[in-house]
Amino acid sequence: MISCSGAVFAQETKPVDSTKIETLDEVFVTATRTERQLSSLPLPTSIILSSDIIKAGVTKLNEILSEQTGIITVPDFGGGEGVQIQGMDSAYTLILVDGVPLIGRSAGTLDLYRISVGNIDRIEIVKGASSALYGSEALAGVINIITKRPKYDMFAGGISERFATFNTHDVNGNLIWKKKKFSGTFFTNYHSTDGYDFNDQPFIQTVEPNHDITVQPRFYYDFSDKLTLIAGLRFYKNEQDYKAIIEDENCEGKSDVDEWGAQFRLEHKWNSKIESEYEFYSTNYKAEEFLNNPEGQRFDDSFYNQWLFRPEIRTTFSINKDKLTTGVGVNHETLERTYFDNRITFDSQYFYVQYDYNPIDKLNILAGFRYDIHNQFQSQLSPKLAMNYKISPSISLKTSFGYGFKAPDFRQLYFDFTNSSVGYTVLGYNVAENRLDTFEVQGQLLSRVEGISFSDHLKPESSVNFNLGSLYQKGKLKMDVNAFYNSITNLIDTRVVAQKTNGQNVFSYFNINEIFTYGIEYNATYKFSSDFRVSFGYQYMVAKDKSVIKAIENGEVFARDPITLESFQLTKSDYFGLFNRSKHIANIKLYYSIPKIKTDVSLRVIYRSKFGLFDTNSNQILDIYDDFVNEYYIANLSLSKSFKDKITLQVGANNLFDFTNPREISNIPGRQVFGKLQFNF
């Protein structure tokens, strides 16, 4: 997708203010649902400040997340772009906006392109199983986008326009105000682009022209010092050209996405020891698309309509230096879509308990659990335990253990989708056998993969996550290191089950008996001065299937020499791991401010080592003899200049050295040069 710009608030564009913000120990709420300083948390966490987002010049959530250590943004079958954390797919990362979840995972991935960064105060990232607080979608972690909130009497705002490569235009507006008891924010963003094209086919582009609009008002009313009402709304609409070549005919139509969400929360401070939050959240995600044939007659229609209603009550009890947090809630979710026979309903109830215990000043223990009752699968208990021990004022050790659970969703069970333009097919496990038989009778099937069976039931997934790390922070240097291990039983993943006569694959969902991922992540930041800092991040990660390792040990896995065409037995060292996982990812970032001329420079370089997308030697695993996507580097550069704190000019280039790999990486379109002008008031 093409990025759009994000407007920023006037008081936060000043270089001096940004520097001051960076020196503070940031407040973090996602990991515990209570305010905690980032350095004191016993869990693997990170935070992205609005000042860094502004300096980087990024405009969509996928852009800023792709620059973070341990996170890879990957495209999915439906054209969206999700995140991979600690080697786990994007379906297992929960995305929140102000603490409430986004929906609309039409292809298993929640598309990060839907979220503009223009009104973000900070992004909080928790890595590792977080089901003890957030339920079954948080096996890999949680990303919480927290929007700006006025803290004192003020009235400010900004408008901006951004022009970029591919005829991309963005117009943004921001307001923030507070007057006595009433305050609020208002953010809007309009984006349009001509898209980009990697295809040789003149009729179809890789990304078709599209435009979208986001509107986010949020209001606060203080009835008293102890009672505050918060009302937040979010509207998003996207329209995109939809084209396909079907049986040598050029078909075209439109694809529309409409999303809205409403959040109402009452914050009540009973006294100095008890605080409660009463929250109601409702959201709807609707997508429709159609294709007409060259004569203008309707060829294909599809729709997706998902609703979520969730009331929740949370209470925190302060007990001396400790905190006890409890919560109870209900989820009611419905889904109607083209590729299901019936309307689907999910009903669940849950409660959770968490104890934040500080037996001595140097030791913090975080323990808790969540219990889910669901109408589609058995009740589930998800515990967690974490500890942070401060060895000295500069060094702390942290460790955490968490358990997660995720039942197969209806997409994995009953999906029946064929991409009419490309031709690939994705089938739910329960319908795959009958549909493959139908394809065979219709002459659409070239071959089936040997050894694939649909005789068993698709089972729920469970995950155990372990982290062990350390934080060092003294003077100008800050370093943290974290070793992680995930053991996922009955992981549900896609595999090729057949090949169609058009050359495209048929995919379905399977339990992989036991997957494990392990690795180490390292981050370091050094501030040479208040105006110049450099950071470095690196992750080494291995992700493998234990059943494949066992089969190799039993001498059951072979590969074919591409030259001699002779088969030979593989060893464990020949097994590379799971598809679309890189063993090495790294980044280096430089931020330099020149206060005298009110100028900021931001340079970020991101590296990803080789990875495999498909089995290319027909043994159904990724081994070192398969074809790989080569390693690559992406460099992003931006320069910002402020004039009297009212006008900001920003220029830059994403993918500065114009890296592309059209055949294997569809979400990197090449160099994107941009310029942005903003007026603050």
Side-chain angles (χ1 to χ4, degrees), residues 290-452:
F290 70 88
L291 276 175
N292 290 337
N293 64 20
E295 289 74 36
Q297 298 173 332
R298 189 60 52 93
F299 175 82
D300 183 57
D301 268 305
S302 65
F303 68 93
Y304 181 102
N305 188 13
Q306 183 179 9
W307 287 85
L308 172 65
F309 302 91
R310 192 189 76 179
E312 182 175 300
I313 299 173
R314 300 183 290 272
T315 301
T316 298
F317 303 88
S318 296
I319 308 169
N320 297 323
K321 296 184 296 181
D322 308 326
K323 288 186 177 182
L324 175 67
T325 301
T326 64
V328 59
V330 175
N331 284 320
H332 176 72
E333 185 177 355
T334 63
L335 175 61
E336 296 178 279
R337 65 179 302 177
T338 306
Y339 309 109
F340 293 159
D341 291 336
N342 302 304
R343 182 185 183 187
I344 302 158
T345 300
F346 291 91
D347 286 308
S348 65
Q349 304 83 41
Y350 60 89
F351 68 89
Y352 55 85
V353 177
Q354 177 182 263
Y355 190 51
D356 192 343
Y357 180 48
N358 298 274
I360 58 176
D361 291 340
K362 293 183 177 182
L363 179 63
N364 173 240
I365 299 173
L366 197 67
F369 69 90
R370 172 169 164 147
Y371 190 71
D372 287 270
I373 305 169
H374 201 283
N375 70 331
Q376 297 293 338
F377 55 88
Q378 64 184 16
S379 301
Q380 184 64 31
L381 179 68
S382 302
K384 79 170 178 185
L385 179 65
M387 182 178 69
N388 187 332
Y389 182 74
K390 207 168 186 64
I391 299 175
S392 71
S394 303
I395 304 174
S396 60
L397 294 177
K398 58 180 68 179
T399 184
S400 64
F401 165 85
Y403 177 84
F405 172 82
K406 187 177 186 299
D409 59 38
F410 278 90
R411 176 182 57 90
Q412 294 163 338
L413 294 174
Y414 298 106
F415 202 44
D416 186 353
F417 170 75
T418 297
N419 186 302
S420 55
S421 59
V422 180
Y424 69 83
T425 296
V426 183
L427 301 174
Y429 186 91
N430 288 3
V431 302
E433 189 69 48
N434 289 337
R435 290 295 289 146
L436 289 173
D437 291 341
T438 301
F439 287 152
E440 203 160 25
V441 170
Q442 294 173 345
Q444 298 185 43
L445 216 58
L446 180 65
S447 63
R448 292 198 192 195
V449 174
E450 294 183 6
I452 295 293

Side-chain angles (χ1 to χ4, degrees), residues 176-366:
I176 182 169
W177 72 91
K178 182 175 174 60
K179 183 68 174 178
K180 296 182 179 179
K181 294 185 176 183
F182 182 66
S183 59
T185 62
F186 181 85
F187 169 71
T188 184
N189 163 256
Y190 175 79
H191 157 69
S192 67
T193 178
D194 289 346
Y196 60 89
D197 188 21
F198 286 149
N199 298 317
D200 296 330
Q201 168 57 244
F203 180 68
I204 299 176
Q205 293 189 175
T206 303
V207 172
E208 298 291 349
N210 66 86
H211 62 274
D212 62 64
I213 185 169
T214 300
V215 179
Q216 283 185 262
R218 194 167 178 86
F219 307 102
Y220 307 83
Y221 187 77
D222 299 320
F223 292 98
S224 68
D225 293 340
K226 296 183 178 181
L227 192 63
T228 299
L229 176 65
I230 302 171
L233 303 173
R234 183 177 187 271
F235 303 93
Y236 173 81
K237 183 176 181 62
N238 176 276
E239 295 183 357
Q240 184 169 21
D241 291 350
Y242 179 32
K243 296 181 180 180
I245 300 176
I246 303 174
E247 297 179 354
D248 296 326
E249 288 191 333
N250 293 342
C251 301
E252 54 185 318
K254 289 287 184 182
S255 175
D256 296 330
V257 171
D258 291 280
E259 177 191 3
W260 68 266
Q263 178 190 19
F264 301 93
R265 186 168 76 242
L266 193 64
E267 298 178 345
H268 186 194
K269 296 182 180 179
W270 294 90
N271 51 49
S272 61
K273 295 183 180 296
I274 304 176
E275 299 181 11
S276 294
E277 293 181 333
Y278 313 92
E279 184 174 74
F280 177 78
Y281 176 59
S282 176
T283 184
N284 173 238
Y285 177 89
K286 184 183 294 183
E288 297 178 337
E289 62 184 24
F290 70 88
L291 276 175
N292 290 337
N293 64 20
E295 289 74 36
Q297 298 173 332
R298 189 60 52 93
F299 175 82
D300 183 57
D301 268 305
S302 65
F303 68 93
Y304 181 102
N305 188 13
Q306 183 179 9
W307 287 85
L308 172 65
F309 302 91
R310 192 189 76 179
E312 182 175 300
I313 299 173
R314 300 183 290 272
T315 301
T316 298
F317 303 88
S318 296
I319 308 169
N320 297 323
K321 296 184 296 181
D322 308 326
K323 288 186 177 182
L324 175 67
T325 301
T326 64
V328 59
V330 175
N331 284 320
H332 176 72
E333 185 177 355
T334 63
L335 175 61
E336 296 178 279
R337 65 179 302 177
T338 306
Y339 309 109
F340 293 159
D341 291 336
N342 302 304
R343 182 185 183 187
I344 302 158
T345 300
F346 291 91
D347 286 308
S348 65
Q349 304 83 41
Y350 60 89
F351 68 89
Y352 55 85
V353 177
Q354 177 182 263
Y355 190 51
D356 192 343
Y357 180 48
N358 298 274
I360 58 176
D361 291 340
K362 293 183 177 182
L363 179 63
N364 173 240
I365 299 173
L366 197 67

Side-chain angles (χ1 to χ4, degrees), residues 20-82:
K20 289 180 180 178
I21 291 172
E22 289 159 5
T23 62
L24 300 177
D25 192 355
E26 301 89 3
V27 173
F28 203 99
V29 300
T30 306
T32 63
R33 287 191 181 265
T34 59
E35 289 192 354
R36 288 280 302 271
Q37 289 188 335
L38 179 62
S39 61
S40 70
L41 287 169
L43 303 167
T45 54
S46 60
I47 192 167
I48 308 170
L49 298 175
S50 61
S51 55
D52 287 340
I53 297 174
I54 293 167
K55 290 176 183 178
V58 297
T59 57
K60 290 289 188 178
L61 185 61
N62 58 309
E63 295 177 289
I64 190 66
L65 290 181
S66 68
E67 299 181 354
Q68 308 308 308
T69 307
I71 295 179
I72 297 175
T73 57
V74 293
D76 73 347
F77 293 120
E81 191 171 359

Side-chain angles (χ1 to χ4, degrees), residues 3-8 59-60 113 116-119 158-164 167-174 186-193 210-216 675-679:
S3 64
C4 67
S5 71
V8 295
T59 57
K60 290 289 188 178
Y113 182 72
S116 173
V117 301
N119 64 335
I159 57 175
S160 70
E161 182 169 1
R162 184 179 190 267
F163 177 76
N167 195 27
T168 302
H169 292 269
D170 295 274
V171 179
N172 296 272
N174 246 318
F186 181 85
F187 169 71
T188 184
N189 163 256
Y190 175 79
H191 157 69
S192 67
T193 178
N210 66 86
H211 62 274
D212 62 64
I213 185 169
T214 300
V215 179
Q216 283 185 262
K676 173 182 162 185
L677 182 65
Q678 177 164 326
F679 175 72

Side-chain angles (χ1 to χ4, degrees), residues 481-501:
V481 61
N482 181 66
F484 61 87
Y485 178 83
N486 295 284
S487 177
I488 307 101
T489 303
N490 294 323
L491 177 72
I492 299 173
D493 204 354
T494 53
R495 281 186 174 178
V496 177
V497 297
Q499 188 177 43
K500 301 172 77 173
T501 54

